[in-house]
């Protein structure tokens, strides 16, 4: 075997500390002998040295070594910001040039890493170039790393984490594909709430950043709410600006902001921003007015009080004004009926007003009845549960409230057993669709009977439940901006008592109240969509007609058509796989909807101007270089030793580490035991002879 390297190794026969003590003693003795110039001193010193050397047991080691190639990592940025202008062409040209130059370098292995910000998670996290480089270096020993070359626009979003962690062992070189001094206008959302209270406003703080425009100069930002016509806003440039946005309904409210183009633009995508604000109700404020005590009054109170989100104000009229029995006024009630406060001053504060078997007794003046009717037309909610007096001359229909009620009394009352049924229209309406016990496909309901129903005429709105002889029982109607629900019976309480098995009174009243409150889940004619990870779930409800396909417009402007799967009458759903974050617009020709998927304002597009500021500290810390391809082209590549500079003007250095693997070892004793003994005895003999002369 022809060795590649020869070295001396020691295999001590005694522990090194013992050998060190013996060597020190021998040196002291030899020094004393030589100082006194005794005969045979040099021979004695030689014998002691041979003794110490023999105890150290030296050997000659010959190694056969196999060189190992160094590794260079080439990281290529393929993120969205790298598709601007000349960046793609420069990236490809630089990559081809690097491949050609690296191929001419012997003993060098190239590891290529491609970094992309595609997909839902990638758009939210931005360009994670350093994480990809760390993953590529996981199986590369530090002493084999020649260097790292990154081809990017400089918009890397995990540099700070890389600087805080352990830095690469080799030089980090950067090739920038953009233009030095690029400028771009962009819209930044500084602060935005994730939820807001219904019927109140939320504050959104935004900033139009434009290096090419003077600070404080005005620009126009268009604000759209749930796809409605955009509202122009005057916003100062390079300054934070707050906007008050109303939340008009529960569920998700989509806010779109778009700044007009600036004088210098790279892309227009970052001139837009989208915010999703979830509308929630603080507490449902309900005013329940019972016209007289009856068996079902407690049912209303128990259902409303069982919901912790409901603030209930309940008044029961126990004694009509016309009754004269000598009872002092101060003893007629615990508190005075605050008519003016409830029906004039604070009427708009209530979310829902319920009249339960109310009849005209002169307690509420006609003016207050008119206030309630206007309250409904202006967006309020009213639920009327009619009793026998609704069919009499004392009926609530003979007041201004009658103008907003969807049914008028005929004067007739049905007092015989019947089971409430969900109508064909009710099977489509979310308030009554799929109620437990309703009976499948028009079958007989399994819930208990009622024994009173008020006959009605001039019915308008949607009849979702019927009673005896298919007479209207529950009617839902929209009046102006408000909503009205009319229950033409006072026997709902039989279900709560479990009569003949009872019925879903709690669920029915909950759905009715939520429909009156415009909860999105209870809308009867609506197109909705929900983002569930990488899936878009589409839900369509309609009271009439078929379910046409839904056209989905993707954030990149393309569109596709999705067929709905019918789950029930007037109810269809579909699922669409999505891989691009942003705002999706849906339409079936009648209804439209917006849904935000993934990162609404991707980090990747928040700032697209090429920059050296992010990567220069890392490059300098590792001894690497940085160069703009558009100005200076691709630098030359050199192999340099580990103790030399790895970058200079017009060139990048790749370290030659000289790593190897030992494939064979030959060990030969440098001082065999027999030879050591012979030399030691010879030295002692010569010492004895010299001293005997």
């Amino acid at each position: 075997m022809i060795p590649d390297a020869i070295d001396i190794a020691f295999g001590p026969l005694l522990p090194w500390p013992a050998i060190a003590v013996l060597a020190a003693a021998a040196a002291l003795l030899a020094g004393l002998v030589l100082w006194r110039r005794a005969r045979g001193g040099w021979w004695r010193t030689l014998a002691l040295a041979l003794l110490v050397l023999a105890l150290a047991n030296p050997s000659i080691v010959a190694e056969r070594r196999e060189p190992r190639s160094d590794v260079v990592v080439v990281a290529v940025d393929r993120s969205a910001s790298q598709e601007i202008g000349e960046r793609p062409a420069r990236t490809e040209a630089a990559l081809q040039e690097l491949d050609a130059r690296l191929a001419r370098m012997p003993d060098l292995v190239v590891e290529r890493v491609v970094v992309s910000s595609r997909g839902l998670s990638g758009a939210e996290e931005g360009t994670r170039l350093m994480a990809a480089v760390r993953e590529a270096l996981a199986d590369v020993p530090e002493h084999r790393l020649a260097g790292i070359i990154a081809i990017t626009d400089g918009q890397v979003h995990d540099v700070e984490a890389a600087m805080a962690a352990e830095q690469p062992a080799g030089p980090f070189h950067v090739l920038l594909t953009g233009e030095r001094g690029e400028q771009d206008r962009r819209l930044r959302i500084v602060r935005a709430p994730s939820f807001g209270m219904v019927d109140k406003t939320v504050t959104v703080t935004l900033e139009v950043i434009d290096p090419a425009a003077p600070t404080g100069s005005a620009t126009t930002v268009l604000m759209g709410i749930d796809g409605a016509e955009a509202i122009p806003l005057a916003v100062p440039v390079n300054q934070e600006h707050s906007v008050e946005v109303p939340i008009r309904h529960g569920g998700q409210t989509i806010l779109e902001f778009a700044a007009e183009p600036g004088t210098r633009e790279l892309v227009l995508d970052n001139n837009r921003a989208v915010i999703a604000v979830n509308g929630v109700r603080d507490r449902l404020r309900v005013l329940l007015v019972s016209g007289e005590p009856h068996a079902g009054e407690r049912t209303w109170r128990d259902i409303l009080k069982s919901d912790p989100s409901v603030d209930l104000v309940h008044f029961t009229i126990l004694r009509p004004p016309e009754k004269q029995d000598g009872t002092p006024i101060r003893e007629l009630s615990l508190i005075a009926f605050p008519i003016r406060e409830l029906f004039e001053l604070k009427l708009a504060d209530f979310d829902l007003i319920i009249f339960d078997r109310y009849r005209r007794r002169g307690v509420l003046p006609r003016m207050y009845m008119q206030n309630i009717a206007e309250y409904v037309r202006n967006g309020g909610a009213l639920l009327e549960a009619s009793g026998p007096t609704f069919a009499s001359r004392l009926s609530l229909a003979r007041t201004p409230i009658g103008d907003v009620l969807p049914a008028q009394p005929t004067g007739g009352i049905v007092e015989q057993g019947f089971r409430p049924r969900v109508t064909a229209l009710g099977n489509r309406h979310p308030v009554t669709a799929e109620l437990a016990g309703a009976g499948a496909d028009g079958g007989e309901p399994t819930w208990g009977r009622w024994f009173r129903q008020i006959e009605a005429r001039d019915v308008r709105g949607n009849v979702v439940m019927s009673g005896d002889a298919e007479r209207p029982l529950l009617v839902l109607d929209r009046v102006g901006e408000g909503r009205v629900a009319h229950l033409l019976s006072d026997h709902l309480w039989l279900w709560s008592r479990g009569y003949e098995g009872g019925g879903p009174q709690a669920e029915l009243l909950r759905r009715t109240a939520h429909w009156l409150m415009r909860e999105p889940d209870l809308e009867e004619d609506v197109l909705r969509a929900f983002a569930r990870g990488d899936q878009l779930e589409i839900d369509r409800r309609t009271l009439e007609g078929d379910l046409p396909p839904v056209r989905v417009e993707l954030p990149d402007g393309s569109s596709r058509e999705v067929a709905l799967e019918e789950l029930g009458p007037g109810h269809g759903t579909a699922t669409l796989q999505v891989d691009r974050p942003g705002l999706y617009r849906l339409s079936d020709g009648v209804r439209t909807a917006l849904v935000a998927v993934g990162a609404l304002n991707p980090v990747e597009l928040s700032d697209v101007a090429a920059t050296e500021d992010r990567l220069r500290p890392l490059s300098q810390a590792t001894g690497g270089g940085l160069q703009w391809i558009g100005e200076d082209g691709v630098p030359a590549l050199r192999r340099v030793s580990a103790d030399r500079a790895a970058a200079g003007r017009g060139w990048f250095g790749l370290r030659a580490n000289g790593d190897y693997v030992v494939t064979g070892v030959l060990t030969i004793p440098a001082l065999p035991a027999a030879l050591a003994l012979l030399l030691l005895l010879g030295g002692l003999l010569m010492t004895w002879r010299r001293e005997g002369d």
Side-chain angles (χ1 to χ4, degrees):
M1 179 186 73
I2 301 176
D4 294 313
I6 298 177
D7 201 357
I8 300 295
F10 294 91
L13 301 178
L14 293 177
W16 280 113
I19 295 177
V21 172
L22 290 175
L28 182 61
L29 180 59
L32 180 61
V33 170
L34 293 176
W35 177 69
R36 298 184 59 181
R37 297 184 179 182
R39 289 179 179 271
W42 287 107
W43 289 106
R44 191 184 301 275
T45 300
L46 178 61
L48 291 174
L50 285 172
L51 177 61
V52 173
L53 184 61
L55 291 175
N57 192 22
S59 59
I60 300 174
V61 179
E63 294 181 349
R64 183 62 180 244
R65 298 176 178 179
E66 180 181 336
R68 301 188 67 183
S69 300
D70 289 332
V71 178
V72 58
V73 177
V74 178
V76 185
D77 185 354
R78 300 286 190 185
S79 60
S81 62
Q82 273 282 80
E83 299 177 359
I84 299 173
E86 298 295 323
R87 298 179 190 180
R90 289 174 181 172
T91 299
E92 292 301 326
L95 190 57
Q96 293 179 7
E97 185 67 23
L98 285 177
D99 287 343
R101 296 181 184 181
L102 291 172
R104 294 193 292 267
M105 292 185 171
D107 302 329
L108 196 62
V109 176
V110 180
E111 290 281 349
R112 181 176 295 182
V113 177
V114 178
V115 184
S116 175
S117 61
R118 302 296 182 186
L120 299 181
S121 61
E124 184 174 358
E125 296 178 354
T127 304
R128 312 287 294 180
L129 185 141
M130 299 308 303
V133 169
R134 283 197 303 272
E135 184 176 350
L137 294 177
D139 298 329
V140 178
E142 291 186 1
H143 51 271
R144 290 187 58 197
L145 180 61
I148 303 166
I149 303 176
I151 306 174
T152 177
D153 55 8
Q155 291 295 347
V156 178
H157 303 99
D158 60 347
V159 180
E160 291 78 6
M163 291 291 293
E166 186 176 357
Q167 299 172 0
F172 190 94
H173 303 297
V174 181
L175 291 176
L176 295 173
T177 58
E179 298 286 348
R180 193 190 299 268
E182 288 179 341
Q183 293 182 345
D184 179 56
R185 169 174 286 191
R186 54 194 176 98
L187 178 63
R188 181 173 74 98
I189 301 299
V190 181
R191 287 180 296 275
S194 58
F195 68 91
M197 309 307 298
V198 177
D199 296 330
K200 297 186 181 296
T201 62
V202 296
T203 302
V204 177
T205 304
L206 51 89
E207 181 181 11
V208 177
I209 302 174
D210 189 351
T215 300
S217 59
T219 189
T220 300
V221 174
L222 298 178
M223 180 181 69
I225 304 177
D226 287 333
E229 184 177 355
I231 304 170
L233 305 173
V235 176
V237 176
N238 299 322
Q239 291 182 356
E240 294 184 3
H241 181 75
S242 296
V243 180
E244 295 294 324
V245 182
I247 304 299
R248 299 188 176 93
H249 59 79
Q252 196 174 72
T253 296
I254 302 296
L255 307 178
E256 299 177 81
F257 296 91
E260 63 179 348
T263 56
R264 299 182 63 180
E265 291 282 9
L266 293 174
V267 293
L268 294 178
D269 291 351
N270 56 4
N271 286 33
R272 306 174 63 87
V274 180
I275 305 171
V277 181
N278 289 312
V280 296
R281 294 188 180 276
D282 182 10
R283 291 176 69 85
L284 184 64
R285 290 155 296 187
V286 178
L287 173 60
L288 172 61
V289 180
S290 298
E292 58 183 340
H294 67 101
E297 182 182 12
R298 186 176 183 84
T299 297
W300 284 101
R301 184 176 181 87
D302 289 346
I303 290 175
L304 293 171
K305 291 294 289 184
S306 65
D307 190 342
S309 65
V310 171
D311 279 339
L312 177 64
V313 178
H314 184 198
F315 285 94
T316 301
I317 300 174
L318 301 175
R319 178 182 182 276
E322 68 271 11
K323 183 177 181 180
Q324 300 295 331
D325 57 5
T327 304
I329 296 297
R330 65 179 180 273
E331 296 180 8
L332 291 179
S333 61
L334 296 177
I335 61 172
F337 193 6
I339 299 176
R340 182 170 180 270
E341 287 78 5
L342 292 178
F343 298 102
E344 182 177 354
L345 300 180
K346 297 185 178 298
L347 183 62
D349 293 341
F350 289 101
D351 299 301
L352 174 63
I353 297 176
I354 301 175
F355 281 97
D356 173 34
R357 286 187 57 162
Y358 184 84
R359 64 176 176 173
R360 293 187 298 118
R361 286 178 163 178
V363 176
L364 295 180
R366 186 178 182 85
M367 179 184 68
Y368 294 146
M369 295 291 189
Q370 184 64 40
N371 289 347
I372 296 173
E374 290 301 319
Y375 157 83
V376 173
R377 295 188 181 97
N378 293 331
L382 174 67
L383 194 157
E384 157 67 6
S386 300
T389 55
F390 186 74
S392 69
R393 61 182 180 82
L394 301 177
S395 172
L396 198 63
R398 295 175 178 266
T399 71
I401 294 180
D403 296 337
V404 299
L405 293 177
Q408 300 297 317
T410 63
I413 301 176
V414 177
E415 293 189 327
Q416 63 182 22
F418 66 91
R419 280 188 172 84
R421 290 178 177 270
V422 177
T423 64
L425 186 64
N427 283 324
R428 288 175 170 260
H429 203 292
V431 169
T432 49
E434 302 175 1
L435 272 178
D441 300 326
E444 186 71 14
T446 60
W447 46 51
R449 291 179 296 167
W450 295 0
F451 293 90
R452 182 184 292 138
Q453 182 177 0
I454 312 302
E455 293 185 355
R457 59 177 173 82
D458 300 333
V459 178
R460 62 176 185 266
N462 299 318
V463 179
V464 296
M465 294 187 73
S466 61
D468 180 69
E470 298 186 355
R471 293 183 176 92
L473 180 62
L474 177 60
V475 186
L476 306 177
D477 191 22
R478 298 170 184 258
V479 181
E481 298 295 325
R483 302 187 181 191
V484 180
H486 198 167
L487 182 62
L488 292 160
S489 176
D490 60 347
H491 275 195
L492 179 69
W493 62 274
L494 290 172
W495 278 358
S496 64
R497 300 286 180 88
Y499 178 75
E500 292 185 348
Q505 79 285 348
E507 180 65 12
L508 178 61
L509 290 179
R510 184 193 68 82
R511 292 188 188 183
T512 303
H514 285 188
W515 178 83
L516 290 168
M517 293 296 95
R518 301 178 180 82
E519 290 296 327
D521 292 344
L522 274 300
E523 290 296 314
E524 68 272 28
D525 190 5
V526 65
L527 173 64
R528 298 180 297 160
F530 309 93
R532 304 278 192 262
D534 60 351
Q535 289 188 336
L536 189 65
E537 297 180 3
I538 305 171
D539 185 89
R540 176 71 167 104
R541 281 191 178 273
T542 180
L543 294 183
E544 56 186 16
D546 298 327
L547 296 169
V550 176
R551 180 167 295 276
V552 181
E553 181 181 338
L554 279 61
D556 60 1
S558 62
S559 62
R560 63 180 64 177
E561 198 170 82
V562 181
L564 297 176
E565 178 184 356
E566 187 170 348
L567 296 183
H571 185 201
T573 62
T575 301
L576 177 66
Q577 197 81 13
V578 295
D579 59 359
R580 186 182 181 95
L583 189 64
Y584 287 72
R585 302 176 186 272
L586 298 85
S587 176
D588 64 351
V590 179
R591 293 289 178 181
T592 60
L594 302 177
V595 61
V597 176
L600 301 183
N601 307 298
V603 175
E604 177 61 31
L605 295 178
S606 62
D607 189 0
V608 296
T611 178
E612 62 182 36
D613 296 338
R614 292 179 180 267
L615 290 173
R616 180 173 288 280
L618 180 61
S619 178
Q620 291 178 343
T622 58
L626 185 146
Q627 188 162 309
W628 293 83
I629 299 177
E631 296 178 0
D632 304 316
V634 179
L637 299 181
R638 302 178 185 175
R639 298 302 301 274
V640 298
S641 60
D643 58 345
R644 299 291 300 275
R649 184 174 181 82
W651 65 274
F652 288 168
L654 300 176
R655 289 180 177 165
N657 297 297
D659 191 33
Y660 61 88
V661 175
V662 178
T663 58
V665 178
L666 178 61
T667 303
I668 303 174
L671 189 62
L675 179 60
L677 180 60
L678 181 61
L679 293 175
L680 183 59
L681 291 176
L684 292 175
L685 181 61
M686 292 302 297
T687 301
W688 172 74
R689 181 177 179 181
R690 184 74 178 99
E691 290 179 349
D693 291 342

